[in-house]
Amino acid sequence: MPYFNHYAMPLVSVLMPVYNGEKYIKEAIDSILCQTFTDFELLICNDASTDRSMDIVRQYRDSRIKVLENQTNSGIVYTRNKLFTEAQGTYLSIMDCDDIAQKQKLEKQVLFLENHPACGICGTWARKINENLETVGHIQMPEEDADIRVNLLFQSSFVQSSVVLRKKLLSDLLYRQEFPVAEDYDLWERLSHLTQMHNIPEFLLYYRWHQQNTSQNQENLLAQKRPDHCTAALPDALLHPYRITDPHRNRKSAPLTRFNICESGRTMAKKITRILPNQPLRPLFPLS
């Protein structure tokens, strides 16, 4: 159902960074313009593309589209932060130029956030698609706040292109250049200290997976870094070879490690708190 705003500012700002995205950008833009929720602006920031990306963008005659330009290629972190700063909406929707949003995505996320004022970040599940729009996988992130927090100890808990968040949370927080392969993971962790989080358990995003995909390149870099850094980021007590009784399976579980988290977030959070009552837990950021 369309949402009509009686105020000058849009309720939602959809933020789309672009660098040489000519192959998929039309599908991404069309998926936003076709949303059942209509009270939004679509901010597109061109990071000095050298292909036909902006020729495609300029073909649109929709007043909700606003174009920003970087004079030189400045990178994804700078471009995303520029979009955050220029956005006018109460809610910010992150959208990459090669992904596709389901028609009801914004409507369902805005409705959830409006009905849950304590929640500041709302993501969704996603279907992985290839260059030919064929489904090649699924991403089902944890749904509830407690599960999301535990998952953040080990990896990102959101598909970045699925996220809608409250702009007011970003008054002092932006992406950081120090984490060039995990800037989103770093931001979610810092925001987790300020707000509750949620993932809608519906596949409301088609997440493009291809050779030029930024996330695929990031995953390759993370895989290279993880053996050297994953254990260093955990408290020493988590690396001890103790075993934890699993009441749901009535047997002993394997030692708690980065690679074996077999219980629900709530159960694991309680056990971690009991074992390490005064030990802050830090997420596994890849160190550059």
Side-chain angles (χ1 to χ4, degrees):
M1 179 174 66
Y3 185 101
F4 298 99
N5 186 6
H6 300 290
Y7 302 94
M9 298 297 182
L11 189 62
V12 175
S13 294
V14 181
L15 312 179
M16 185 181 294
V18 178
Y19 178 69
N20 290 350
E22 65 177 2
K23 190 170 183 179
Y24 306 110
I25 191 171
K26 186 177 188 303
E27 291 175 315
I29 293 174
D30 288 347
S31 76
I32 296 300
L33 298 181
C34 291
Q35 290 289 301
T36 56
F37 179 92
T38 59
D39 183 19
F40 64 83
E41 63 175 354
L42 172 56
L43 295 184
I44 299 174
C45 187
N46 176 33
D47 192 22
S49 295
T50 58
D51 66 357
R52 294 183 56 256
S53 293
M54 297 318 293
D55 293 336
I56 296 170
V57 171
R58 293 187 187 99
Q59 293 175 4
Y60 288 89
R61 295 292 182 265
D62 193 305
S63 60
R64 294 171 295 180
I65 297 177
K66 301 175 184 178
V67 177
L68 307 174
E69 296 273 359
N70 293 340
Q71 295 305 309
T72 60
N73 181 248
S74 303
I76 190 63
V77 172
Y78 175 89
T79 304
R80 289 196 194 279
N81 285 340
K82 183 174 182 177
L83 287 164
F84 280 161
T85 302
E86 296 293 329
Q88 300 295 313
T90 301
Y91 301 113
L92 307 181
S93 173
I94 300 171
M95 180 71 183
D96 287 338
C97 68
D98 53 358
D99 295 334
I100 299 173
Q102 290 274 24
K103 288 186 177 181
Q104 290 185 304
K105 177 180 180 295
L106 290 181
E107 179 183 345
K108 290 187 175 185
Q109 289 179 283
V110 170
L111 182 62
F112 182 88
L113 289 168
E114 292 278 279
N115 290 335
H116 298 83
C119 182
I121 308 175
C122 180
T124 76
W125 290 355
R127 299 187 193 278
K128 280 186 179 181
I129 58 172
N130 62 17
E131 299 180 8
N132 301 315
L133 298 177
E134 298 167 332
T135 299
V136 295
H138 301 85
I139 306 175
Q140 295 172 261
M141 292 297 191
E143 177 183 352
E144 300 295 341
D145 183 76
D147 301 307
I148 289 171
R149 291 179 186 279
V150 170
N151 192 62
L152 274 174
L153 293 170
F154 310 103
Q155 61 188 0
S156 178
S157 291
F158 295 97
V159 179
Q160 184 164 210
S161 248
S162 79
V163 167
V164 174
L165 58 101
R166 298 182 192 274
K167 185 181 180 182
K168 66 180 182 181
L169 294 173
L170 299 176
S171 57
D172 297 315
L173 297 178
L174 292 172
Y175 290 110
R176 297 194 292 189
Q177 294 283 358
E178 300 94 296
F179 302 102
V181 298
E183 72 279 354
D184 56 329
Y185 182 10
D186 169 56
L187 182 61
W188 311 146
E189 191 280 329
R190 287 181 288 139
L191 288 173
S192 72
H193 298 279
L194 305 177
T195 186
Q196 294 180 15
M197 301 167 288
H198 186 77
N199 276 304
I200 295 175
E202 297 182 43
F203 294 103
L204 299 179
L205 180 78
Y206 291 105
Y207 181 73
R208 190 86 62 172
W209 197 250
H210 54 89
Q211 291 303 313
Q212 288 74 44
N213 178 269
T214 300
S215 294
Q216 182 162 324
N217 293 334
Q218 288 176 341
E219 183 172 282
N220 293 336
L221 287 170
L222 284 171
Q224 295 170 14
K225 291 173 178 288
R226 187 170 288 136
D228 296 330
H229 301 306
C230 67
T231 55
L234 283 170
D236 290 341
L238 279 183
L239 304 178
H240 292 171
Y242 58 79
R243 290 180 176 271
I244 302 173
T245 300
D246 183 347
H248 301 294
R249 297 181 176 85
N250 194 29
R251 61 177 174 81
K252 299 288 187 178
S253 66
L256 176 60
T257 70
R258 158 64 180 82
F259 306 101
N260 186 8
I261 299 301
C262 61
E263 301 177 81
S264 72
R266 288 185 184 85
T267 301
M268 188 61 69
K270 290 177 181 178
K271 290 181 177 179
I272 291 174
T273 300
R274 184 172 66 249
I275 295 166
L276 305 169
N278 300 312
Q279 173 66 61
L281 302 180
R282 300 187 306 280
L284 301 174
F285 294 128
L287 307 178
S288 54

